[in-house]
Amino acid sequence: MVENVEAIYQRIVARNPGETEFHQAVKEVLESLGPVLVKHPEFAELKIIERISEPERQIIFRVPWQDDRGEIHINRGFRVEFNSALGVYKGGLRFHPSVYLGIIKFLGFEQIFKNALTGLPIGGAKGGSDFDPKGKSDNEIMRFCQSFMTELYRHLGEHTDVPAGDIGVGGRELGYLFGQYKRITNRYESTVLTGKGISWGGSLVRTEATGYGAVYFVREMLKMRKESLEGKTCIVSGSGNVAIYTMEKLAELGAKVIACSDSNGVIVHEKGIDLDLVKRLKEVERRRISDYADHHKDAKYLAGGNIWKIPCQIAMPSATQNEINGNDARHLVGNGCIAVGEGANMPTTPEGVKIFLDAGIAYGPGKAANAGGVATSALEMQQNASRDSWSFEYTERKLDDIMTRIHASTYETAEEYGAAGNYVVGANVAGFIKVARAVVALGCI
Ligand code: NDP
Ligand code: 2IT
C-alpha cells in the first residue's frame, strides 16, 4: 500500500476497533488505489477514500421475539446504509449467528463497489441479525421477521433503502418481511424489497441470478484464455441459493460439478452432483447436505471435510467469508485448478488471494463475479417501477450482458492500471472511480 493510503487505512482501523472483516475488506480495496490517486489527485484532496469508508448511517436495533414455547429471545438487528452517491441504498440482509457490526460493514463496503460495477443506479448497504434460523419453525421465523421489520420499516423506501436476501434470508423470510412492512404502512410498495416471490412482485431470474452470473463471469475469464467450461471438473462450496444456481449453470454449460457442502461437511459425487436432489433437500425440505448420501450410495459424505482438497479445474466458493485460506489456495493451485469464481463475498483470505494471483490462474473476486444478484435486483426494481414483468429469457439475457460488461470493464481497467489479468485491481479501481466521481459531483454533503 502506498504511504498516504496506508495512513488513511491506519486511521480507519483505529476508528473502527475490533471490526476485523471490515478492516480486511477496506485494506483489499485501498491496496489497489495508489495509482488512482496519482492519476486523480483531486480524490485525495477531497478526501474521497475517507468519505467512502465512513458509512452514511448505521442503524442498530433490538429484535425481541417469542419462540413456540413462549420463551422470549433478544437479537440484534443492523442496517448499515453505507453510500448513496450512485443511487438508493441497496444490499441484502443476512441472518446468521456470526453477524455483528464488523461483518455487516465489510459486506456494505464491498456492496458499494459491486453495485457501481453493475452500471445501474444503486448505492451500497447491508443489514441483518445475529438470529440463527437453523432449527426454527416457520412460525418462529415469521415472528422474528415481523419483529425485525417493525423497527426496520421506518428506514426503508423506494427512494431510500431497498434490502434483499443474503445468507439465511430467502423467499420465505422476504415474504414475512414484506407482509409486515405492508401491514404497518398500509401501502403495497413492491419496490421496498427485492428477491420477492414471482406472484407478489418479484422478478424471474432473481433466484438464479447470483449463481448464473458468477458462472458467466468465469466463462468470460476462460474465454480470454482461449478456454471454455465444457468438460471441466468443478467444485462449489455451500448448498444454498448461490451454490445451487452456480451448479445449475455450470452443468448447463457442459461442466461437471463433483462436490458441494454445508457448514457440517462435504458431499463428493464423482458421477456429477444430482442437482434435483440438492434442490429438494435444501429448498423444500431444509435438510443437511449429509442426507444426500442416503440417496446415492456411490456418493461420499466427508463430515467436517475440507472441500478445497478435492482436485478440480474450477472452484466456485459460494458459502461465506474467508472459507479459502492460504493452505486451501495452495491445494487448489497444486491440484491443477485454473479458475476461481467467487459467488460468496470475500471468501478468500488475503494470503489465499495472493497465492491465486502469483500462480496466474483466472481469479474473479466476489465484488465482480457475484454482482449478478444485485444487478437482477435492480432489474426487479425497474420492472416494479414500470409495473411490468419480463420473461425469463429476456431477463437472463440482460443478466448475461451485465456480467459480460462487468468482465470487460474490470479486465480493461486492470490493463490500463498496469496489472493485466488482475481482476482484483480491475474491480477495485473501476468500482472506486465510478463512486468517487459521483461523490465529487455531489459536493461535500
Ligand atoms: P444461503 O443461506 O442460501 O446458503 C449459504 C450456504 O453457505 C449454506 O450451504 C451454508 O451452510 C453455508 N454457510 C454459511 N455460513 C457458513 C459458515 N460460517 N461456514 C460454512 N458454511 C457456511 O446463502 P446464499 O447462498 O444466499 O449466500 C452464500 C454467499 O453468497 C454469501 O457469502 C453471500 O453473501 C453471497 N452472496 C449472495 C447473494 C444472493 O443474492 N443471495 C448475492 C451475492 C453474494 P449451512 O446451512 O450449514 O449454514
Ligand atoms: O451480496 C449481495 O450482493 C446480495 N446479497 C444481494 C443484494 C441485493 O440487493 O440483491
Side-chain angles (χ1 to χ4, degrees), residues 8 36 82 95 125 185 202 245-246 291 296 298 300 311 319 335 337 349 409:
I8 297 172
V36 177
F82 226 117
F95 293 169
T185 60
Y245 293 96
T246 296
D291 292 349
H296 286 286
D298 52 345
K300 268 190 311 223
N335 284 331
C337 178
T349 63
S409 76

PDB file of all heavy atoms in Angstrom, residues 8 36 82 95 125 185 202 245-246 291 296 298 300 311 319 335 337 349 409:
ATOM      1  N   ILE A   8      -4.227   6.475   5.759  1.00  0.00           N
ATOM      2  CA  ILE A   8      -5.707   6.515   5.786  1.00  0.00           C
ATOM      3  C   ILE A   8      -6.234   5.202   6.373  1.00  0.00           C
ATOM      4  O   ILE A   8      -7.123   5.194   7.232  1.00  0.00           O
ATOM      5  CB  ILE A   8      -6.279   6.722   4.360  1.00  0.00           C
ATOM      6  CG1 ILE A   8      -5.859   8.071   3.780  1.00  0.00           C
ATOM      7  CG2 ILE A   8      -7.806   6.588   4.373  1.00  0.00           C
ATOM      8  CD1 ILE A   8      -6.227   8.264   2.309  1.00  0.00           C
ATOM      9  N   VAL A  36      -4.458   5.225  -8.585  1.00  0.00           N
ATOM     10  CA  VAL A  36      -5.651   6.039  -8.879  1.00  0.00           C
ATOM     11  C   VAL A  36      -5.444   7.455  -8.344  1.00  0.00           C
ATOM     12  O   VAL A  36      -5.782   8.456  -9.002  1.00  0.00           O
ATOM     13  CB  VAL A  36      -6.924   5.410  -8.250  1.00  0.00           C
ATOM     14  CG1 VAL A  36      -8.149   6.276  -8.496  1.00  0.00           C
ATOM     15  CG2 VAL A  36      -7.135   4.000  -8.784  1.00  0.00           C
ATOM     16  N   PHE A  82     -24.420   2.523   3.655  1.00  0.00           N
ATOM     17  CA  PHE A  82     -23.021   2.906   3.512  1.00  0.00           C
ATOM     18  C   PHE A  82     -22.811   4.089   2.595  1.00  0.00           C
ATOM     19  O   PHE A  82     -22.132   5.062   2.943  1.00  0.00           O
ATOM     20  CB  PHE A  82     -22.186   1.710   3.040  1.00  0.00           C
ATOM     21  CG  PHE A  82     -20.917   1.544   3.811  1.00  0.00           C
ATOM     22  CD1 PHE A  82     -20.680   0.410   4.565  1.00  0.00           C
ATOM     23  CD2 PHE A  82     -19.950   2.547   3.808  1.00  0.00           C
ATOM     24  CE1 PHE A  82     -19.509   0.255   5.301  1.00  0.00           C
ATOM     25  CE2 PHE A  82     -18.776   2.400   4.543  1.00  0.00           C
ATOM     26  CZ  PHE A  82     -18.558   1.263   5.284  1.00  0.00           C
ATOM     27  N   PHE A  95     -29.085 -13.290   8.047  1.00  0.00           N
ATOM     28  CA  PHE A  95     -29.419 -13.820   9.372  1.00  0.00           C
ATOM     29  C   PHE A  95     -28.476 -14.988   9.647  1.00  0.00           C
ATOM     30  O   PHE A  95     -28.602 -16.071   9.059  1.00  0.00           O
ATOM     31  CB  PHE A  95     -30.871 -14.331   9.422  1.00  0.00           C
ATOM     32  CG  PHE A  95     -31.942 -13.269   9.299  1.00  0.00           C
ATOM     33  CD1 PHE A  95     -33.277 -13.636   9.095  1.00  0.00           C
ATOM     34  CD2 PHE A  95     -31.659 -11.906   9.400  1.00  0.00           C
ATOM     35  CE1 PHE A  95     -34.289 -12.674   8.989  1.00  0.00           C
ATOM     36  CE2 PHE A  95     -32.662 -10.940   9.291  1.00  0.00           C
ATOM     37  CZ  PHE A  95     -33.977 -11.328   9.080  1.00  0.00           C
ATOM     38  N   ALA A 125     -25.398  -0.894   0.706  1.00  0.00           N
ATOM     39  CA  ALA A 125     -25.844  -1.077   2.098  1.00  0.00           C
ATOM     40  C   ALA A 125     -25.836  -2.562   2.435  1.00  0.00           C
ATOM     41  O   ALA A 125     -25.703  -3.399   1.549  1.00  0.00           O
ATOM     42  CB  ALA A 125     -27.263  -0.535   2.273  1.00  0.00           C
ATOM     43  N   THR A 185     -47.426  -0.068   7.161  1.00  0.00           N
ATOM     44  CA  THR A 185     -47.524   1.175   6.375  1.00  0.00           C
ATOM     45  C   THR A 185     -48.858   1.320   5.661  1.00  0.00           C
ATOM     46  O   THR A 185     -49.183   2.403   5.180  1.00  0.00           O
ATOM     47  CB  THR A 185     -46.421   1.213   5.295  1.00  0.00           C
ATOM     48  OG1 THR A 185     -46.585   0.082   4.426  1.00  0.00           O
ATOM     49  CG2 THR A 185     -45.032   1.200   5.909  1.00  0.00           C
ATOM     50  N   GLY A 202     -42.103 -10.137  -7.593  1.00  0.00           N
ATOM     51  CA  GLY A 202     -40.697 -10.493  -7.836  1.00  0.00           C
ATOM     52  C   GLY A 202     -40.366 -10.586  -9.307  1.00  0.00           C
ATOM     53  O   GLY A 202     -41.248 -10.516 -10.166  1.00  0.00           O
ATOM     54  N   TYR A 245     -27.575 -22.485  -7.847  1.00  0.00           N
ATOM     55  CA  TYR A 245     -27.723 -21.983  -9.223  1.00  0.00           C
ATOM     56  C   TYR A 245     -26.376 -21.813  -9.924  1.00  0.00           C
ATOM     57  O   TYR A 245     -26.318 -21.747 -11.154  1.00  0.00           O
ATOM     58  CB  TYR A 245     -28.630 -20.742  -9.233  1.00  0.00           C
ATOM     59  CG  TYR A 245     -30.016 -21.204  -8.841  1.00  0.00           C
ATOM     60  CD1 TYR A 245     -30.471 -21.105  -7.518  1.00  0.00           C
ATOM     61  CD2 TYR A 245     -30.813 -21.875  -9.757  1.00  0.00           C
ATOM     62  CE1 TYR A 245     -31.697 -21.635  -7.129  1.00  0.00           C
ATOM     63  CE2 TYR A 245     -32.041 -22.404  -9.384  1.00  0.00           C
ATOM     64  CZ  TYR A 245     -32.476 -22.280  -8.074  1.00  0.00           C
ATOM     65  OH  TYR A 245     -33.685 -22.825  -7.710  1.00  0.00           O
ATOM     66  N   THR A 246     -25.301 -21.827  -9.142  1.00  0.00           N
ATOM     67  CA  THR A 246     -23.971 -21.936  -9.752  1.00  0.00           C
ATOM     68  C   THR A 246     -23.833 -23.326 -10.356  1.00  0.00           C
ATOM     69  O   THR A 246     -23.416 -23.488 -11.508  1.00  0.00           O
ATOM     70  CB  THR A 246     -22.885 -21.697  -8.679  1.00  0.00           C
ATOM     71  OG1 THR A 246     -23.005 -20.353  -8.215  1.00  0.00           O
ATOM     72  CG2 THR A 246     -21.485 -21.912  -9.236  1.00  0.00           C
ATOM     73  N   ASP A 291     -27.603 -35.756   4.109  1.00  0.00           N
ATOM     74  CA  ASP A 291     -28.693 -36.641   3.680  1.00  0.00           C
ATOM     75  C   ASP A 291     -28.562 -37.056   2.218  1.00  0.00           C
ATOM     76  O   ASP A 291     -29.178 -38.044   1.793  1.00  0.00           O
ATOM     77  CB  ASP A 291     -30.060 -35.956   3.900  1.00  0.00           C
ATOM     78  CG  ASP A 291     -30.358 -35.786   5.383  1.00  0.00           C
ATOM     79  OD1 ASP A 291     -29.626 -36.379   6.202  1.00  0.00           O
ATOM     80  OD2 ASP A 291     -31.303 -35.051   5.724  1.00  0.00           O
ATOM     81  N   HIS A 296     -27.736 -41.618  -2.730  1.00  0.00           N
ATOM     82  CA  HIS A 296     -26.770 -42.059  -3.748  1.00  0.00           C
ATOM     83  C   HIS A 296     -25.650 -42.834  -3.060  1.00  0.00           C
ATOM     84  O   HIS A 296     -24.791 -42.233  -2.413  1.00  0.00           O
ATOM     85  CB  HIS A 296     -26.175 -40.858  -4.494  1.00  0.00           C
ATOM     86  CG  HIS A 296     -27.129 -40.243  -5.464  1.00  0.00           C
ATOM     87  ND1 HIS A 296     -27.455 -40.833  -6.661  1.00  0.00           N
ATOM     88  CD2 HIS A 296     -27.849 -39.095  -5.408  1.00  0.00           C
ATOM     89  CE1 HIS A 296     -28.327 -40.079  -7.307  1.00  0.00           C
ATOM     90  NE2 HIS A 296     -28.593 -39.017  -6.571  1.00  0.00           N
ATOM     91  N   ASP A 298     -23.128 -44.232  -4.243  1.00  0.00           N
ATOM     92  CA  ASP A 298     -21.778 -44.001  -4.770  1.00  0.00           C
ATOM     93  C   ASP A 298     -21.257 -42.596  -4.418  1.00  0.00           C
ATOM     94  O   ASP A 298     -20.160 -42.215  -4.818  1.00  0.00           O
ATOM     95  CB  ASP A 298     -21.736 -44.215  -6.287  1.00  0.00           C
ATOM     96  CG  ASP A 298     -22.794 -43.418  -7.026  1.00  0.00           C
ATOM     97  OD1 ASP A 298     -23.736 -42.915  -6.368  1.00  0.00           O
ATOM     98  OD2 ASP A 298     -22.683 -43.284  -8.252  1.00  0.00           O
ATOM     99  N   LYS A 300     -19.882 -39.820  -1.564  1.00  0.00           N
ATOM    100  CA  LYS A 300     -19.212 -39.889  -0.250  1.00  0.00           C
ATOM    101  C   LYS A 300     -19.563 -38.649   0.559  1.00  0.00           C
ATOM    102  O   LYS A 300     -19.548 -37.539   0.025  1.00  0.00           O
ATOM    103  CB  LYS A 300     -17.684 -39.882  -0.458  1.00  0.00           C
ATOM    104  CG  LYS A 300     -17.070 -41.274  -0.552  1.00  0.00           C
ATOM    105  CD  LYS A 300     -15.550 -41.207  -0.521  1.00  0.00           C
ATOM    106  CE  LYS A 300     -14.980 -40.206  -1.474  1.00  0.00           C
ATOM    107  NZ  LYS A 300     -13.903 -40.367  -2.295  1.00  0.00           N
ATOM    108  N   PRO A 311      -9.390 -32.403  -5.843  1.00  0.00           N
ATOM    109  CA  PRO A 311      -8.852 -31.885  -7.105  1.00  0.00           C
ATOM    110  C   PRO A 311      -9.954 -31.431  -8.062  1.00  0.00           C
ATOM    111  O   PRO A 311     -10.979 -32.098  -8.211  1.00  0.00           O
ATOM    112  CB  PRO A 311      -8.095 -33.090  -7.687  1.00  0.00           C
ATOM    113  CG  PRO A 311      -7.778 -33.956  -6.511  1.00  0.00           C
ATOM    114  CD  PRO A 311      -8.921 -33.777  -5.570  1.00  0.00           C
ATOM    115  N   ALA A 319     -20.210 -20.053  -0.209  1.00  0.00           N
ATOM    116  CA  ALA A 319     -20.773 -20.188   1.136  1.00  0.00           C
ATOM    117  C   ALA A 319     -20.586 -18.907   1.949  1.00  0.00           C
ATOM    118  O   ALA A 319     -21.547 -18.180   2.211  1.00  0.00           O
ATOM    119  CB  ALA A 319     -20.155 -21.382   1.850  1.00  0.00           C
ATOM    120  N   ASN A 335      -3.342 -28.775  -7.230  1.00  0.00           N
ATOM    121  CA  ASN A 335      -4.124 -29.840  -7.865  1.00  0.00           C
ATOM    122  C   ASN A 335      -4.567 -29.490  -9.281  1.00  0.00           C
ATOM    123  O   ASN A 335      -5.384 -30.192  -9.869  1.00  0.00           O
ATOM    124  CB  ASN A 335      -5.362 -30.156  -7.011  1.00  0.00           C
ATOM    125  CG  ASN A 335      -5.002 -30.981  -5.785  1.00  0.00           C
ATOM    126  OD1 ASN A 335      -4.044 -31.742  -5.818  1.00  0.00           O
ATOM    127  ND2 ASN A 335      -5.771 -30.829  -4.716  1.00  0.00           N
ATOM    128  N   CYS A 337      -6.055 -26.428 -10.415  1.00  0.00           N
ATOM    129  CA  CYS A 337      -7.186 -25.512 -10.605  1.00  0.00           C
ATOM    130  C   CYS A 337      -6.756 -24.344 -11.517  1.00  0.00           C
ATOM    131  O   CYS A 337      -5.709 -23.742 -11.298  1.00  0.00           O
ATOM    132  CB  CYS A 337      -7.639 -24.996  -9.242  1.00  0.00           C
ATOM    133  SG  CYS A 337      -8.975 -23.817  -9.315  1.00  0.00           S
ATOM    134  N   THR A 349      -9.086 -15.546   1.903  1.00  0.00           N
ATOM    135  CA  THR A 349      -8.273 -14.687   2.780  1.00  0.00           C
ATOM    136  C   THR A 349      -7.222 -13.962   1.926  1.00  0.00           C
ATOM    137  O   THR A 349      -6.906 -14.412   0.816  1.00  0.00           O
ATOM    138  CB  THR A 349      -7.518 -15.527   3.842  1.00  0.00           C
ATOM    139  OG1 THR A 349      -6.612 -16.403   3.154  1.00  0.00           O
ATOM    140  CG2 THR A 349      -8.473 -16.339   4.701  1.00  0.00           C
ATOM    141  N   SER A 409     -15.088  -4.532 -18.330  1.00  0.00           N
ATOM    142  CA  SER A 409     -14.606  -3.290 -17.708  1.00  0.00           C
ATOM    143  C   SER A 409     -13.540  -3.583 -16.649  1.00  0.00           C
ATOM    144  O   SER A 409     -12.563  -2.836 -16.524  1.00  0.00           O
ATOM    145  CB  SER A 409     -15.762  -2.457 -17.140  1.00  0.00           C
ATOM    146  OG  SER A 409     -16.207  -3.022 -15.944  1.00  0.00           O
TER     147      SER A 409
END
